[in-house]
């Protein structure tokens, strides 16, 4: 009975579970299918999609960072840094990694000094990269690092530093936050200053730490070259101060001053100031007015015509010229600045007293073509060669296009448009015994290896003979000792120079201002010491109000700047006139032949047309 | 290859009478044969132990080496960070020096010290002898 039940039970079990063989086969099939699936996936991972997964894995592990190639420095002639790059940190974010944008913004905003709402909006964007704050200081960077916000990173990004403040800012220019030169020398030498970025590639763990013995490749960054300028930082400061003071004293709208070494063409200082229309304060101009701004040079250009006439043998310094007060040329009447009868002057006096009528007559004797040729040779028809961004293009029209009055107007500098550098380079011809030397602002490029490379400079060319140059220098000395430029004299030094006063062109192209009168551009240009010129200087005062002539508005600034430059260049006095000298313990003033008295800024009676 | 022979038990020496020995049944001994000496058996257990120990020692050494490498990497990172920090400090000092040497800073310092620009410059004339 029991055995029969057991048999029935077993039979029932066998029927319910099926034959073991079938179950085993089924299990085998299932396992086989699973195995096939695994094999298929394996093939997919290792063969079919291998590259994609390798790339995906690498993208998660391998991080590539750009190493900034530091931007080179701009140095003055003594190696002092005018502008340099310093390491700084930029805060960036990967918004996709940030879980709570509001909280992150609330933490970051006070550290980096940005608006919290705007920052929260940026951190909430669906992007992989956002700038939070660029080139922050070290303290702020440390605070950001300490905040440890997921998705917020610090990356190295050099910033530009100007340790001399605004000194020479108009010449140096500026680079933007991306380190790209946008103005001035920063823009001109952008390619040279800009370094080549490097790259570092490494494997990192989940928490962003570099994996030891992981993949690591380093391509070092190459820093940009330094550019050593011919500028002297100390003299630049002195010139800026002197120019600003003079513009304040004369109530001018602005001013420009340049200091050069005549023999080499090196620019030692180059300053521009302007009066802020709102505050009335005189500030450094944000651009290089000495090269960018053009103006009518006025009487300073007479030196070219008279020099040409001497060189051509048409006149000598003592050649008499009949000078009436006024001269009719075509439909225009030219006159001297001071009323006088018809007199016979020599050529020297024409230059010293800056007679418009006398100069026009000498120019007419020279003729349009030769006047043009000399203007071109003196550098007024060509670029200075500095290639400075925004530099005014030469504006000397061909002599064939000149009308009858153009010759007269050009000779006295009322229709010509020049920049201050062109005028100074022209006067350097006289200082250099008749040779034109192109101005230059760059002394050398200095590579990362320390190697100095001097720039290519244009070949000097002769404009005047040495004899003519000496004659002109003597005549220009007379301008300072006896003529319109007496306030440019410097005790102990012989100074040669020329005053210039011209109407300022208005925005509408005419010369009448809103009051129906004229505004002036007052200029003085010259060099010292005459016997061995070591420094040449030009000062242009834009629209002086208290005085208007070059001799009264610009010459005092010329004297102050030139005196400082000679002292900085260790040029000893060549004479004793006007000097305070110590003899035997007593201070005595030596005999004075030039009248450098107090600058009262009184209206000048100087006849410097 | 040598064979041993058995002597005739009936052969005696001298006149001594000997009692005959009882007959014994001697089981025939198997023939001697040449056998080869079995080679010494490897001690598998010992070898396995050595291998296992070597394996784990190797693993341990690798781990130790890896640990040293990681430690060295951290040290390298620390030194790199120090170098970067020092470089930043040098650059900061360069800027500071340049700022202090700037004419504006010097003039400001001179003003603070109460220095003023001279109104006249006095030149010293050397004695003419």
């Amino acid at each position: 009975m029991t055995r029969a039940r057991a048999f029935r039970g077993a039979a029932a079990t066998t029927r319910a579970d099926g034959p073991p063989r079938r179950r085993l086969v089924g299990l085998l099939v299932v396992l086989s299918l699973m195995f096939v699936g695994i094999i298929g996936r394996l093939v997919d991972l290792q063969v079919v999609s291998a590259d994609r997964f390798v790339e995906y894995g690498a993208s998660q592990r391998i991080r590539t960072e750009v190493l900034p190639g530091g931007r080179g420095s701009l140095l003055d002639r003594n190696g002092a840094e005018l502008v340099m790059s310093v390491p700084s940190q930029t805060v960036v974010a990967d918004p996709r990694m940030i879980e709570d944008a509001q909280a992150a913004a609330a933490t970051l905003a006070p550290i980096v000094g940005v608006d919290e709402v705007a920052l929260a909006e940026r951190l909430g964007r669906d992007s992989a990269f956002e700038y939070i704050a660029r080139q922050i200081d070290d303290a702020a960077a440390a605070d950001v690092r300490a905040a440890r916000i997921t998705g917020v990173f610090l990356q190295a990004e050099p910033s530009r530093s100007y340790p001399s403040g605004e000194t020479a800012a108009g010449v140096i220019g500026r680079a933007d936050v991306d380190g790209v030169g946008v103005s001035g020398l920063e823009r001109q030498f952008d390619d040279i200053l800009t370094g080549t970025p490097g790259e570092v590639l490494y494997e990192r763990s989940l928490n962003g730490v570099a994996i030891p013995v992981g993949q690591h490749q380093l391509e070092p960054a190459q820093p940009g070259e330094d550019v050593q300028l011919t500028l002297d930082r100390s003299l630049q400061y002195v010139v800026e101060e002197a120019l600003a003071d003079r513009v304040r004293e004369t109530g001018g709208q602005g001013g420009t001053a340049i200091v050069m070494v005549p023999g080499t063409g090196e620019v030692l200082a180059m300053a521009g100031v302007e009066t802020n229309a709102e505050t009335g304060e005189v500030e450094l101009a944000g651009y290089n007015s000495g090269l960018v701004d053009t103006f009518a040079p006025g009487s300073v250009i007479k030196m070219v015509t008279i020099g040409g006439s001497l060189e051509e043998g048409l006149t000598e310094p003592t050649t008499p010229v009949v000078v009436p007060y006024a001269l009719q040329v075509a439909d225009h009447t030219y006159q001297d600045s001071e009323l006088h009868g018809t007199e016979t002057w020599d050529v020297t006096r024409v230059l010293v007293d800056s007679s418009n009528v006398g100069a026009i007559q000498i120019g007419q004797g020279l003729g349009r073509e030769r006047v043009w040729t000399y203007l071109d040779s003196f550098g007024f028809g060509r670029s200075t060669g500095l290639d400075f961004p925004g530099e005014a293009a030469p504006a000397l029209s061909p002599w064939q296009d000149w009308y009858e009055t153009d010759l007269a107007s050009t000779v006295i500098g009322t229709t010509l448009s020049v920049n201050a550098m062109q005028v100074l380079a022209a006067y350097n011809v006289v200082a250099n015994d008749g040779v034109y030397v192109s101005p230059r602002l760059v002394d050398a490029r200095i590579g990362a290896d320390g190697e100095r490379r001097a720039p290519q400079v244009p070949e000097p060319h002769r404009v005047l003979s040495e004899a003519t140059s000496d004659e002109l220098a003597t005549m220009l000395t007379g301008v300072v000792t006896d003529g319109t430029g007496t306030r440019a004299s410097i005790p102990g030094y012989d100074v040669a120079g020329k005053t210039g006063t011209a109407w300022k062109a208005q925005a509408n192209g005419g010369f009448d201002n809103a009051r129906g009168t004229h505004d002036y551009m007052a200029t003085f240009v010259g060099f010292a010491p005459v016997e061995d010129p070591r420094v040449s200087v030009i000062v242009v005062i834009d629209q002086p109000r208290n005085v208007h002539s070059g001799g009264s508005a610009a010459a005092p600034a010329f004297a102050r700047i030139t005196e400082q430059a000679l002292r900085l260049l260790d040029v000893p006095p060549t004479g004793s006139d006007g000097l305070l000298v110590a003899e035997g313990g007593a201070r005595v003033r030596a005999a004075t032949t030039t009248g450098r008295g107090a600058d009262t800024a009184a209206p000048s009676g100087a006849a410097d047309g | 290859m040598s064979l041993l022979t058995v002597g005739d038990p009936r052969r005696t020496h001298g006149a001594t009478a000997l009692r005959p020995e009882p007959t014994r049944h001697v089981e025939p001994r198997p023939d001697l044969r040449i056998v080869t000496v079995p080679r010494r058996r490897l001690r598998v257990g010992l070898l396995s132990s050595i291998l296992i120990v070597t394996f784990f020692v190797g693993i341990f050494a690798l781990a130790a080496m890896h640990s040293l490498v990681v430690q060295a990497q951290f040290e390298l990172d620390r030194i790199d960070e120090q170098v970067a920090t020092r470089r930043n400090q040098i650059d900061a000092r360069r800027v500071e020096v340049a700022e202090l040497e700037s004419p504006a800073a010097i003039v400001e310092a001179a003003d603070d010290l109460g220095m003023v620009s001279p109104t006249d410059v006095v030149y010293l004339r050397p004695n003419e002898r």
Side-chain angles (χ1 to χ4, degrees), chain A residues 118-142:
Chain A
L119 182 56
E121 186 272 326
R122 285 159 60 195
L123 293 178
R125 289 177 186 167
D126 183 23
S127 67
F129 184 88
E130 289 288 336
Y131 277 118
I132 304 303
R134 301 188 69 173
Q135 298 166 2
I136 60 175
D137 57 45
D138 290 344

Side-chain angles (χ1 to χ4, degrees), chain A residues 86 213 233 567 580-583, chain B residues 69 95 101 120-121 123 125:
Chain A
V86 292
V213 301
R233 184 173 63 172
R567 195 175 301 162
L580 276 175
V581 295
E583 290 181 310
Chain B
V69 169
V95 173
E101 285 180 341
D120 284 315
V121 178
Y123 291 87
R125 174 178 291 169

Side-chain angles (χ1 to χ4, degrees), chain A residues 184-230:
Chain A
L185 295 174
E186 287 268 38
R187 178 178 166 191
Q188 182 177 355
F189 297 110
D190 192 49
D191 291 343
I192 296 168
L193 293 168
T194 303
T196 306
E199 192 177 82
V200 61
L201 179 148
Y202 62 94
E203 284 185 270
R204 61 175 180 171
S205 63
L206 278 177
N207 56 5
V209 177
I211 299 174
V213 301
Q215 191 176 356
H216 188 275
Q217 292 176 11
L218 174 65
E219 186 180 336
Q222 300 295 324
E225 294 184 14
D226 294 341
V227 177
Q228 185 158 28
L229 306 178
T230 59

Side-chain angles (χ1 to χ4, degrees), chain A residues 25 37 51 79 91 94 117 204 207 233 263 270 304 309 314 318 367 453 500 509 540 557 563 592 607:
Chain A
V25 169
D51 293 342
V91 187
D94 182 350
V117 176
R204 61 175 180 171
N207 56 5
R233 184 173 63 172
M270 207 171 191
V304 175
S309 179
L314 301 176
T318 55
R453 283 181 285 276
V540 182
E563 187 176 16
T592 303

Side-chain angles (χ1 to χ4, degrees), chain B residues 4-112:
Chain B
L4 297 177
T5 55
V6 178
D8 185 355
R10 290 169 297 181
R11 192 179 290 176
T12 57
H13 296 282
T16 307
L18 296 177
R19 190 181 56 187
E21 289 182 0
T23 303
R24 290 186 302 177
H25 176 73
V26 178
E27 287 289 330
R29 298 176 67 180
D31 294 337
L32 293 176
R33 57 189 173 91
I34 298 173
V35 297
T36 56
V37 177
R39 275 190 281 179
R40 189 174 183 178
R41 298 177 67 182
L42 290 176
R43 285 178 287 186
V44 177
L46 179 62
L47 188 60
S48 300
S49 299
I50 290 172
L51 282 176
I52 288 170
V53 168
T54 304
F55 175 76
F56 280 105
V57 167
I59 293 290
F60 180 78
L62 274 176
M65 290 288 288
H66 192 75
S67 171
L68 286 174
V69 169
V70 170
Q71 196 176 355
Q73 180 69 44
F74 281 128
E75 181 68 10
L76 186 62
D77 291 345
R78 192 182 62 79
I79 291 171
D80 280 345
E81 196 171 331
Q82 276 187 345
V83 169
T85 304
R86 293 286 183 260
R87 280 191 178 142
N88 289 351
Q89 288 175 344
I90 289 170
D91 285 327
R93 296 292 176 270
R94 275 179 59 210
V95 173
E96 197 175 339
V97 168
E99 286 173 350
L100 290 172
E101 285 180 341
S102 72
I106 292 171
V107 168
E108 188 180 345
D111 288 342
D112 291 344

